[in-house]
Amino acid sequence: MDSAVVNYLIDNILSVLAIETSLLWGVRDAVVDMKNELISMQSFLVDADKKGTSNEAEKTWVASVRDMTYEVEDIIDRFVYHINSQRIGGRSVRFLHHTIYFPQNLWVRHQVATKLHKINRKIRTIPEVNQRYGINHIEDKSSSDNHKWIVRRGESPLFHKEDELVVIENKRQLIMGWLMDGEPRQTVISIVGMGGSGKTTLVANTYNNDDVKKHFDCWAWITVSQAYELENLLRSLIKEFYESRKEANPADLSSMNYRLLVKTLVNYLEKKVYLLVVDDVWDTNLLDEIKVSIQDSCLGSRIILTTRKEDVACYPLGGKHHVHHMHLLQKEEAWELFCKKAFSSNPNGSCPLELESFAQELVGKCEGLPLAIAALGSLMYSKNMSQWSEIYNGLNWSLSKNPKLESVKSILFLSFNDLPYQLKHCFLYCSLFPEDHEIQRKMLTKLWMGEGFVEQVEGSTLEEVADSYLVELIFRNMLQVVVRNEFERPRMCKMHDLLRELALSVSIKEKFGAVYDGGEEMKECKARRISIHKFDGELKSFTGMSKLRSFLVFNKSLKTLPSGSKMLRVLNLEDAPIDKLPDELFKLFNLRYLNLRGTLLKKLPNSIGRLLNLQTLDIGGTQIESLPHGIGKLQNLRHLIMYRYTGNWNEFRYSIGMQAPLNIGQLKNLQTLCYFEAKVDLIRQFRSMTQLTSIGIGSVKEADETELCITIQNMRLLCSLSVMVTNEEETLRMDALSSPPPNLQRLFLIGKLETVPQWFCSLQSLTHLQLHWSRLAEDLLPRIANLPHLGHLTLSNAYVGKQICFSTGFPKLSKLEIRNSPQLNEIIIEKGVMPNMKSIGIDSCIELKTVPKGIEYLKNLQELVLASVSMELQHRIEGEGSVDFPKVRHIPKKCIW
C-alpha cells in the first residue's frame, strides 16, 4: 500500500521540477536527490507489498519508510503551497522572478532544502540489509506456513458432515444438473463470490455426492490459492486422479519435469470422463498453464472453478461454460445457519428466548456472509448470558484476537493483499464513507482523482482510468453494486460491513484515514484523512490537522470548519448547514476536490479563482445564482456541477441553472458543465470546448437554434446533453443538428417540440431519453423504437394524444415513466415488445382508467408504480377480486400513491 504514496510523490516532484528553474532556485538539487531516493524506496515498498512482512523488525522497518515518505510528502506539498501563494492575484512571472530574492522567500527555500537534505540523511541511516532496500530483505512468507494454512482451510469443507450444511440445497441441485446433463462437450462451471461466501462448501458438498461421482471415471480436487508451484499442482492432480480409481501413482512422479507431467496427465485423461475441481483460483495465468493438460475430448468431462474474481470466472477453457454467482444469505437463511452453530445442543437447534435479541443483532452484523455467521455461531456456542453481552458489546472483526474470528479476518484479508498497489488506497478510501452508505460512482472516482491515486495512462482520461479501478474492485468482489445504469455500469456501490471494518483497521494502522463518529472530543488525529460521521457543536482544531489531505463531512449539523488544514486536496461538505465560507478555504492551493452541494450558500466569492489546482467543484443544490468572474482562472477544472432542483417534477421548470461569466469558455480541461443559463455569446464560447462530455444549458430561445446546434455538433465526445428553453411557451428548435455527437448516451429535452427531430433515429448509443413538456402531436415511438441501447424512457407532458401504443421494438428498455399526460386515456403494449421491461411508473395521468393493455406480456416486470391516477384505475387492480388484478398478479412490487 505504501508504494502508492511514493508513486504519487514522484509524480508530484516531477511536476515541481517542471516549474521554471528560477522558481526552484535553492531547492532544485535537493528535490532531484529526493526523487532518486524515492524511486529506490518505491522498489522496496512494492516488493514488501507483494511478499508481506513476517516479523516485528521488518514491520517496523516498513513503517519507518512509510513515515518518512509521508514526511517528504508534507515538505513537497508545503513548497507547492508556497509557490502557489505567490501566484494568486494575477502577479506576473516577471514579478515572481524578483520575489524569489526577497528575504522571506529565500528563507523558505533554505528551510525546504535543509529539510530535504535532513530526511535524505535519515533514509540513509536505515539499517542496511542486503545493500539497502534489497529485494531479498523481506522474506516471502506466502509459500510457507501461510500458504499451507490457506490450503488446509480450503480443503476442510470436503470433510464436513451433511447435517452441518444448510441453505445450499437449491444451489447444489443447480450445480449437479450441470454436472450430469449429458452434454458430451467439456463443461466448465465457475463459482464466483466474495471471500467467505460459501463457494468451497457448496462445491465440496456437490463433489462428495455419490450420484455425481457415478457419472465420472475419475476425479480430482486441487486448492490453488495465491501462491503455487505449477509442477507441484500437476503432481497433485495426477495423484488425485490415480487414487480416485485406487491405482498406484507413477513410480517416478516426484522426479518428472513439467513436460513429462503434462504428458502423463494428458495420456491418463485421454479416454476418460473426469471431474476436476480447481479451488481458489486468483488469476488466469494458472488456467493458461493447465489448459493444455485438460483438453476437451468430448466425452462429457466437467471442470469446476471457485474464485473471487469475475475475469477468472469468465475465462474460456473450451466447451460450454456456466457461471454461478454466490449471493449473500437472506435474513432467514442467515438465522438458520447461526442457530445451527450456536445452539446445536438445544432441542431442534432453537435459540433461547432470553438470547434472541442479542443473537438477531449479532447475525445482522455479519450481513449475510456465511463464513462470518458460522464463525460467530461457533464462538457463541455454550456461552452464558454475561458472555453473550460482553461479546455483543465488544465485537470488532478487525481487532479481535479470538481464534474463531481471526480466521474470518485472515480469509478476507487475502482479497485485500491480492490487490495491485494502485487499488489498495482506492479500496481503503471507501471505508471512510458511513456504514451501509451507497457510494455514487462519479463521486468516488472524482475523490480518487483529487487524492492523486489515479495514474495517467496514455490514450485514456483520468476518469476512464478511475472507472477501470472501480470495475476491478467490483470484479474482485471487494465492492458490491447496488444500482446499475442502462449499460450495466455501476452507478451506486457499497462495502460489506466486515470488509469495511477490516479496511478501517488497516487505515488507522497505516495512518491512512480515520472516522470520527461522535465519541469523546477529538484532540489528536494521526491519520491523513478524516471522515466526520456524527458531530454536535463546533469542530475545534486538533493536533495533526496540518497533515490532513482529505476532510469528509457526512453530518448535517457541522456548522464550522477547523482551521490549519493548508495541505487539503479533498474537502467534502455536502449538505452541511454552512451559509458562508471562511477566507482560509480559498488559500487551500493544493485543493483538487470541493463539494459544497446542498449547503446554504447564496454566493461564491471571486476568490474561488485562487484554487488553481481544483479539478471538481460541485455547488449543486445551493442558492447560488451566478458564478464569479474568478471561475475563469481555474485552468485545471474538469467538472463544474451547478444546478438545483425545485422539487416539483410535475412543473415545467423543475431545475434551475446558474449565470456564468463569459470567461468560462477559457476552461479548456472542463469535461462536465451542468448547467448554465444560456446567452448567445456564451454558447459561442463553447465551440472550442470539444473535450466536454456532459453539458446542460438552460433558458435557450428559438433564436439560439443555429448557434446551439453548431456548438453541440462540434462536441464529438459528448455523452450527456440537457437543453431547456426559457419558458413553457418557447419552442425548442434543434432541427439544425444534422449530425449529433456519436457517443450521446443521455438526452434531456425540456420545452415544446413542433416535430420529432429527424436525428433521433441516429442515436445508436442512447440509453436514457427524457422529453419534458414537449407536447408533441406526432407519435414519437416509431422514431425511437429501434434504438439498440435505449434503457430508460421518461415522457412528461411529452404527447398530447389520447393513446400511446408500443407496437414494436424497444429491445433494451427496462424503465418507462409516463407523467403529466392529462389527455391520455389508453396505453397499449403489443406482445413481444419491451421484453426486458422491469419498472413502469405512471404519474398524473388522470384520464387513464385501466392498466396498460398487454402489461401481462411483460414477464420480467418487477415494479408498477401509480401516482395521482384515477380512483377507477386504482380499484381495478386492488385486491384479488378486482378486474385487472390477473393482469398484474405476476408483478412483485405494486405501489399506489
Side-chain angles (χ1 to χ4, degrees), residues 61 234 319 416 493 619 697 700 872:
W61 194 21
L234 293 175
F416 176 73
C493 59
I619 51 175
I697 309 171
V700 172
E872 184 177 344

Side-chain angles (χ1 to χ4, degrees), residues 791-818:
H792 188 171
L793 176 62
T794 301
L795 303 175
S796 180
N797 197 6
Y799 181 59
V800 297
K802 295 183 177 181
Q803 182 192 84
I804 291 179
C805 181
F806 294 86
S807 59
T808 185
F810 298 99
K812 291 291 182 69
L813 195 65
S814 61
K815 186 171 184 178
L816 172 65
E817 296 176 275
I818 300 177

Side-chain angles (χ1 to χ4, degrees), residues 568-750:
L568 277 181
R569 300 174 194 145
V570 167
L571 180 57
N572 179 74
L573 300 174
E574 184 169 339
D575 292 329
I578 295 172
D579 56 9
K580 186 178 179 181
L581 298 173
D583 291 338
E584 187 178 358
L585 188 148
F586 302 102
K587 297 177 183 178
L588 302 177
F589 307 120
N590 294 336
L591 198 65
R592 291 166 172 80
Y593 178 95
L594 177 59
N595 185 355
L596 303 171
R597 179 187 289 264
T599 59
L600 304 178
L601 293 173
K602 295 181 179 179
K603 186 178 180 182
L604 197 64
N606 199 52
S607 50
I608 189 72
R610 295 177 176 180
L611 305 180
L612 300 178
N613 288 306
L614 201 62
Q615 296 175 348
T616 297
L617 174 60
D618 189 341
I619 51 175
T622 64
Q623 298 302 310
I624 299 171
E625 296 181 355
S626 61
L627 295 177
H629 189 268
I631 205 79
K633 296 180 181 179
L634 305 181
Q635 293 300 305
N636 289 308
L637 197 63
R638 303 170 74 89
H639 304 282
L640 178 54
I641 303 160
M642 51 179 187
Y643 56 80
R644 71 179 186 270
Y645 295 117
T646 63
N648 192 340
W649 298 95
N650 288 328
E651 291 184 355
F652 165 72
R653 185 171 288 277
Y654 66 82
S655 62
I656 301 172
M658 297 182 188
Q659 301 288 338
L662 287 178
N663 67 348
I664 198 171
Q666 299 173 6
L667 304 181
K668 301 304 181 184
N669 287 310
L670 207 59
Q671 295 186 21
T672 304
L673 179 58
C674 294
Y675 68 83
F676 65 95
E677 299 294 301
K679 299 175 184 176
V680 175
D681 291 342
L682 193 56
I683 294 173
R684 189 177 293 117
Q685 285 277 332
F686 291 114
R687 282 196 186 183
S688 60
M689 299 179 69
T690 55
Q691 76 287 347
L692 279 168
T693 61
S694 180
I695 190 169
I697 309 171
S699 297
V700 172
K701 300 180 178 62
E702 288 185 48
D704 298 331
E705 178 190 17
T706 301
E707 199 64 54
L708 177 63
C709 290
I710 292 174
T711 299
I712 293 173
Q713 201 156 296
N714 286 339
M715 297 177 181
R716 307 311 288 171
L717 301 179
L718 202 64
C719 294
S720 180
L721 171 65
S722 178
V723 181
M724 175 185 280
V725 294
T726 187
N727 61 62
E728 58 187 280
E729 299 305 322
E730 189 85 37
T731 299
L732 177 57
R733 299 189 184 278
M734 296 189 68
D735 291 332
L737 185 62
S738 59
S739 177
N743 298 315
L744 196 63
Q745 298 172 8
R746 299 167 63 85
L747 177 62
F748 301 82
L749 298 181
I750 301 99

Side-chain angles (χ1 to χ4, degrees), residues 21-66:
T21 304
S22 58
L23 294 181
L24 287 170
W25 177 82
V27 299
R28 186 178 182 87
D29 289 344
V31 172
V32 171
D33 287 346
M34 181 54 62
K35 172 201 161 188
N36 294 332
E37 201 62 47
L38 285 171
I39 292 173
S40 297
M41 290 167 70
Q42 183 184 38
S43 300
F44 161 71
L45 288 171
V46 168
D47 187 67
D49 208 34
K50 290 178 180 178
K51 296 181 178 179
T53 52
S54 57
N55 59 53
E56 290 305 315
E58 290 170 352
K59 291 177 183 177
T60 302
W61 194 21
V62 172
S64 67
V65 173
R66 177 203 61 218

Side-chain angles (χ1 to χ4, degrees), residues 7 94 137 374 657:
N7 239 3
R94 182 178 179 184
H137 173 79

Side-chain angles (χ1 to χ4, degrees), residues 161-191:
K161 296 178 182 178
E162 183 76 20
D163 59 3
E164 293 178 353
L165 306 168
V166 294
V167 300
I168 66 169
E169 183 57 32
N170 291 338
K171 301 170 187 174
R172 179 175 64 173
Q173 291 300 323
L174 176 67
I175 306 304
M176 288 175 64
W178 287 333
L179 291 174
M180 302 184 294
D181 61 5
E183 168 62 49
R185 288 178 299 168
Q186 176 178 282
T187 299
V188 179
I189 302 166
S190 295
I191 315 296

Side-chain angles (χ1 to χ4, degrees), residues 463-561:
E463 289 77 8
E464 289 169 341
V465 176
D467 275 345
S468 74
Y469 289 179
L470 180 62
V471 169
E472 179 73 9
L473 288 173
I474 291 168
F475 273 7
R476 290 169 172 265
N477 285 283
M478 302 292 280
L479 294 176
Q480 301 167 322
V481 178
V482 180
V483 181
R484 293 185 182 272
N485 66 12
E486 294 81 5
F487 271 128
E488 289 301 310
R489 291 177 65 193
R491 280 180 55 194
M492 309 281 284
C493 59
K494 66 186 286 281
M495 289 186 92
H496 190 282
D497 280 357
L498 298 188
L499 284 175
R500 180 176 174 274
E501 279 196 40
L502 294 174
L504 273 177
S505 72
V506 175
S507 293
I508 293 168
K509 177 185 175 184
E510 302 288 348
K511 303 178 185 177
F512 175 86
V515 167
Y516 181 72
D517 56 5
E520 60 186 46
E521 182 182 350
M522 185 165 42
K523 297 180 179 179
E524 181 182 18
C525 180
K526 295 182 180 180
R528 303 176 82 77
R529 295 157 191 88
I530 191 164
S531 182
I532 308 294
H533 292 183
K534 293 180 183 178
F535 193 82
D536 294 316
E538 294 187 357
L539 183 64
K540 300 177 182 178
S541 293
F542 49 82
T543 304
M545 177 68 72
S546 63
K547 296 182 181 296
L548 286 182
R549 295 310 190 270
S550 277
F551 188 80
L552 309 174
V553 176
F554 296 96
N555 180 271
K556 295 185 179 182
S557 63
L558 184 69
K559 297 181 179 180
T560 61
L561 297 178

Side-chain angles (χ1 to χ4, degrees), residues 92-107:
S92 67
V93 174
R94 182 178 179 184
F95 178 76
L96 283 174
H97 285 176
H98 291 292
T99 62
I100 67 170
Y101 297 106
F102 287 177
Q104 179 185 1
N105 292 320
L106 290 173
W107 173 246

